[in-house]
Amino acid sequence: MPTYSSSRFIIIILSVLVFSISLGNSSSILTNFLKCLSQQSETSIPVYTPNSGNYTTVLESTIQNLRLLSPTTPKPYLIVTPLLESHVQASVICSRKNKMQIKIRSGGHDYDGLSYISDVPFVIVDLNNLRSVTVDVESETAWVQSGATVGEVYYNIAIKSPTLGFPASVCTTVGVGGHLSGGGYGTMLRAYGLAADQVIDARIVNVDGKILDKDSMGEDLFWAIRGGGGGSFGVVLSWKIKLVPVPPTVTVFNVARTLQQGATELVHKWQDVAYNLPKELFIRVILGVANSSQNNNKTVQATFNTLFLGSLGNLLSLMKERFPELGLENNDCTEMSWIQSTLYLNGFPVNGPLEILLDRTQPKRFYKAKSDYLKAPIPKVGLEGIWKILLEEDQPILIFNPYGGKMSEISESSTPFPHREGNLYKIQYLAYWEGLEETEKQLSWIRKLYRYMTPFVSKNPREAYVNYRDVDIGQSKNGTATYLEGKVWGGNYFKNNYDRLVQVKTKVDPQNFFRNEQSIPSVANA
């Protein structure tokens, strides 16, 4: 654990009145909260109030979405950045004692800001400093704190072993806490399943401020935190994960085709092929717009983005047999190590230093995201309708992620993440834009596309991925939903697992202390 000088944060001391930011109730809340922290902790806790010089920097450090960074966006009364597990315990105890809503943030890849926005007095507990990664090659496991990024996990595995990996996200700046809490997937999901499927132990601060592990938290809570979404059950401090074997050589490719190059036929064929490929082969499709090479007009482009856990020769043979229409050639492919593939898929130089995986810098953009699951292929006429809507914008992105393989072998109820057998692929919709003034137009556009997709996607419920938080499908005010209100979005995210999640929530947090606008409700509190 690194050491910190007092100049880098506000030291909690008994003379807490110095943190008063205004007259009246807000001053009283801060005073009482800070006094409680000083009483609960034997060591200094980093705290930032709106009067702190670094408050804005800390608040915005991991917020990606500029749509949620407007001057009118509600801000926290204070931000706690724990250095020790005991600091998290103190934060929970003092938030509860002072009736402050608590928001837990591990990385900031939070599409609709539920970990850092509220319209009631709230505290952010930012786990950025709790990010150690301890790899045990002999047991093929690692303990990872929730504030670590996926890139930090990959890096620490790679420096210990060239033949171990972890099936987590493509994007390396994702925070581990949120990623595992919602399931977490990447290019090895067809080979090994989700990141959360590899969790074999965890440490969590419960509503009473106690630290529990797998044995002391019990089977139900351990089940719930591995895919039930962050912010409902407690603060997960760290996770013990099972690492997975990777071959010394993997093969990657990016092959782009425009409409003029047969993209419609290729995407249509991909829907039948990708799900049924050997589990070692992951081919996703990234759809966007580009200029046509023929007439320089805007066109739709489909990029087939691939990781194969094997050699180039075997990949070429497999593609020739199963997907010859793509016309894959030797020079389209590159062999490399698994850790280099994590660089490649992020657009980093594959022969560059691995330390780039430790870079926590995140691009800030205006965006909105949504998700869907498909159980049957979209007909060509349906794809052509998608193309028309994509061509209305300059920066649209659709990502088709194939399922099948290991995902079809795991029961829907094994974890709260239910989207398993029968799903051909998942769609992520992304709208990007420049400037706040474009927001309403872009939100209208992505909602239009989402409505258009209704006939083609899953139904009753229309399934969605909890890590792509989408308040369009339903939300409550400050996490006060009843069972039936919560089922509006809970059914989309968790299907039949929603009922068990409510039972766990009612048992471990009956007064609904841990909550957000899409959290699991407690029946006892309804």
Side-chain angles (χ1 to χ4, degrees), residues 67-212:
R67 177 171 60 91
L68 306 173
L69 266 181
S70 72
T72 58
T73 302
K75 306 298 191 295
Y77 270 43
L78 70 162
I79 306 167
V80 185
T81 56
L83 302 174
L84 305 170
E85 291 183 339
S86 61
H87 294 172
V88 179
Q89 293 176 277
S91 300
V92 169
I93 292 168
C94 294
S95 296
R96 189 178 179 194
K97 181 178 179 180
N98 289 279
K99 296 180 170 52
M100 296 273 283
Q101 188 171 10
I102 190 171
K103 297 277 188 172
I104 313 301
R105 185 169 74 174
S106 65
H109 283 242
D110 183 346
Y111 284 179
D112 273 341
L114 303 191
S115 65
Y116 54 84
I117 295 175
S118 179
D119 58 8
V120 298
F122 73 105
V123 174
I124 291 179
V125 177
D126 190 318
L127 302 177
N128 176 67
N129 293 322
L130 296 178
R131 62 199 223 209
S132 70
V133 180
T134 305
V135 175
D136 185 333
V137 173
E138 186 174 350
S139 65
E140 298 183 349
T141 62
W143 270 103
V144 182
Q145 288 187 305
S146 284
T149 63
V150 166
E152 289 170 338
V153 175
Y154 291 164
Y155 174 84
N156 280 279
I157 294 171
I159 61 175
K160 290 290 187 71
S161 171
T163 56
L164 289 175
F166 188 64
S169 73
V170 171
C171 186
T172 55
T173 56
V174 171
V176 166
H179 193 57
L180 294 180
S181 293
Y185 78 95
T187 55
M188 293 200 292
L189 91 162
R190 302 189 70 253
Y192 295 111
L194 305 176
D197 294 333
Q198 321 306 321
V199 174
I200 55 179
D201 202 348
R203 289 172 60 80
I204 185 172
V205 176
N206 74 357
V207 70
D208 297 317
K210 297 178 180 177
I211 296 179
L212 309 175

Side-chain angles (χ1 to χ4, degrees), residues 243-262:
L243 307 181
V244 301
V246 293
T249 299
V250 305
T251 308
V252 297
F253 68 75
N254 270 319
V255 171
R257 298 285 188 265
T258 63
L259 296 184
Q260 293 74 19
Q261 296 169 322

Side-chain angles (χ1 to χ4, degrees), residues 216-432:
S216 54
M217 79 175 73
E219 178 183 345
D220 287 341
L221 181 53
F222 185 63
W223 173 85
I225 63 174
R226 292 174 296 139
S232 290
F233 306 101
V235 185
V236 181
L237 300 166
S238 57
W239 313 75
K240 187 177 184 181
I241 56 174
K242 178 176 53 180
L243 307 181
V244 301
V246 293
T249 299
V250 305
T251 308
V252 297
F253 68 75
N254 270 319
V255 171
R257 298 285 188 265
T258 63
L259 296 184
Q260 293 74 19
Q261 296 169 322
T264 302
E265 291 75 15
L266 289 171
V267 174
H268 186 256
K269 175 74 174 184
W270 172 92
Q271 295 178 101
D272 289 317
V273 170
Y275 174 87
N276 291 301
L277 289 169
K279 64 180 64 175
E280 296 80 15
L281 179 53
F282 173 92
I283 306 176
R284 67 176 180 169
V285 181
I286 303 173
L287 296 161
V289 296
N291 288 327
S292 170
S293 59
Q294 297 179 4
N295 53 26
N296 209 35
N297 291 331
K298 192 162 62 173
T299 186
V300 171
Q301 179 174 277
T303 301
F304 296 84
N305 180 238
T306 299
L307 171 68
F308 176 59
L309 299 176
S311 68
L312 187 155
N314 288 339
L315 175 59
L316 288 174
S317 297
L318 187 55
M319 291 294 289
K320 184 176 181 180
E321 175 188 352
R322 305 292 286 275
F323 197 11
E325 294 86 352
L326 188 60
L328 189 71
E329 298 180 356
N330 190 302
N331 59 6
D332 294 320
C333 306
T334 307
E335 288 186 326
M336 59 185 61
S337 66
W338 172 78
I339 194 63
Q340 287 178 310
S341 78
T342 69
L343 300 175
Y344 175 87
L345 293 165
N346 270 280
F348 300 143
V350 296
N351 293 315
L354 293 183
E355 282 72 19
I356 196 169
L357 294 169
L358 305 178
D359 186 356
R360 299 168 71 94
T361 305
Q362 302 181 28
K364 297 183 185 295
R365 304 179 70 180
F366 289 92
Y367 69 90
K368 172 64 182 176
K370 302 176 81 66
S371 61
D372 262 319
Y373 287 87
L374 284 88
K375 302 179 187 298
I378 302 172
K380 286 183 182 180
V381 65
L383 293 175
E384 289 166 352
I386 296 174
W387 307 158
K388 290 179 182 178
I389 299 176
L390 289 180
L391 288 169
E392 294 175 3
E393 295 298 330
D394 294 326
Q395 301 183 66
I397 294 179
L398 265 65
I399 304 176
F400 292 4
N401 289 283
Y403 272 46
K406 185 67 173 179
M407 291 296 288
S408 295
E409 300 170 9
I410 301 173
S411 165
E412 283 193 2
S413 60
S414 65
T415 71
F417 182 98
H419 317 292
R420 305 284 188 171
E421 186 177 7
N423 287 295
L424 295 182
Y425 60 100
K426 176 176 64 63
I427 297 180
Q428 179 178 192
Y429 309 87
L430 287 161
Y432 291 106

